[in-house]
Amino acid sequence: MTAIHVSEVGPRDGLQSIERVMPLEAKKRWIAAEAAAGVSEIEVGSFVPPTLLPQMADTADLVAFAKTLDGLRVVALVPNAKGAQRAADAGVHAFSLPFSMSETHSKKNLRKDHAQMLEEIAACAEIARNHGIHFEVGLATAFGCTIEGAVPEDQVVRLAEAAIGAGAMEVGLSDTTGYADPAQVRRLVRRVKAAVGDDKLDTLHLHNTRGLGLANVVAGLEEGIITFDASLGGLGGCPFAPGASGNIVTEDLVLMLNSMGHDTGIDLEKLLEVRGILEEALPGEPLYGFTPDAGPMLDYNERTAA
Amino acid sequence: MTAIHVSEVGPRDGLQSIERVMPLEAKKRWIAAEAAAGVSEIEVGSFVPPTLLPQMADTADLVAFAKTLDGLRVVALVPNAKGAQRAADAGVHAFSLPFSMSETHSKKNLRKDHAQMLEEIAACAEIARNHGIHFEVGLATAFGCTIEGAVPEDQVVRLAEAAIGAGAMEVGLSDTTGYADPAQVRRLVRRVKAAVGDDKLDTLHLHNTRGLGLANVVAGLEEGIITFDASLGGLGGCPFAPGASGNIVTEDLVLMLNSMGHDTGIDLEKLLEVRGILEEALPGEPLYGFTPDAGPMLDYNERTAA
């Protein structure tokens, strides 16, 4: 079956959504343990000013550490070209810039309108090219915005094309607000792929705010998506709290993909053990997911046998 | 978009999974309120001996009451021909017999092997024909069994054909144990439809034991399934407790289907109000679902507009 990549974004999206700061050593244990379980891509942090997000102050250290782990693709989020330069200096394999499809959200989140964001994308692209780094633009609020409401699909398609035109090597669709449904995922993936090229949209970043996260993954798989972001234990994700993350849960995603016969390269039992690191480093922090309690699935080969 | 039916099975599958007996008057309020919210099919109870399941002792009364509600299809579960006769006498529109694909489970659950179950199906079919009632066989443990483990797909296909051959008017696939994954759902629906006829498999009964319930719904939709069982509030469903139901949550299912643009005929806001009846009649009983807390989706028409 198809190889599907699971990109762990908990050290970035999960940790930036909670108030507590996880100690650097715990972050390292977490990242190393996930890599050892077979996770091949981790977004280790964000190059935002530490005054804004003290949880992310050690991102450069984490990049350096993560790069020592065999076969791991080390990714960081950047809010602008300044962050991109820091990411490049730190030596990431790839960086990702969020570009909000809702202009209101863009102005509120990064204080830039769409035109200014496209300039920023061009500047980031130049840094990426100069350093031989992969540069992806995450199309945030692509499925709707809590401020603007519905975001027209034509607008998403147009801005995806503009981002590629400005130098992004790839775009991803992000359901920042948990509004996506499976029909919308299929429609929008198909339309954006048609506009920017089949190989320039590989990734979905889904949230589980309304419980549709894995249903949306299925829709994405049907449309040829091969990389899904997820957060261990759904960290940071009481999905109903304002501003909370609510990423889909890595363990449940891996259970589903492995059970479907996809090759994730991830050992689910080893992955489940990594939860212990979060429980120890962030006592009392709610963790989510069905898999830890429900027990394993039946063996794939036995189930498909006649 | 396609009309999709949501069949509420909480009054049967939910209530038989908890120890408390819901008073008849509360059951009536529940059923009437769901029908008023637009739910067009409800499994109101089970014609099992009241000594075995006192929760279901008032099923005949519920059938009589539910038949007074405009446009509602009234369904009951029957364990054997004796139950089918009681269901027919009570005047159900349809009854459903569970036929476990795992022979071990069949013997344990209904004390009959597969050959004996096929005789029971033939006897039920005769009762159904004589009374002009629809008779469906639910292929239980079709995706795996907690006792036997994997159930070969060839066996499910063969027993589905045998059930139709013995007189079942329709078969449904039941993930009694929460082992189904979306790839397996697509495969098995396709194979059973090919074997028994496209119009003789319309229904999936899914559980959410491992969080894959709605993902499996998406897979079923892709294969032309048009009826999905679900339980309000996931009643009876702490999904990890032994013997617990863990049905998919009606509210979340309706949120997803409506959001995808399917015509369920159900008013989600009215449906959400029905939870209050459960909370009042069964204080302290855990209810599940993301929808009640997460708030509504964006308007379908706005989202699909250019």
Side-chain angles (χ1 to χ4, degrees), chain B residues 277-295:
Chain B
I277 295 172
L278 298 189
E279 284 159 4
E280 198 185 300
L282 300 167
E285 193 65 39
L287 295 181
Y288 301 89
F290 284 78
T291 306
D293 298 310

Side-chain angles (χ1 to χ4, degrees), chain A residues 179 184 186 222 259 303, chain B residues 179 181 184 186 222 303:
Chain A
Y179 278 133
Q184 193 185 13
R186 291 202 68 162
E222 298 281 344
S259 171
R303 302 161 82 205
Chain B
Y179 278 133
D181 72 62
Q184 193 186 13
R186 291 202 68 162
E222 298 282 345
R303 302 160 83 205

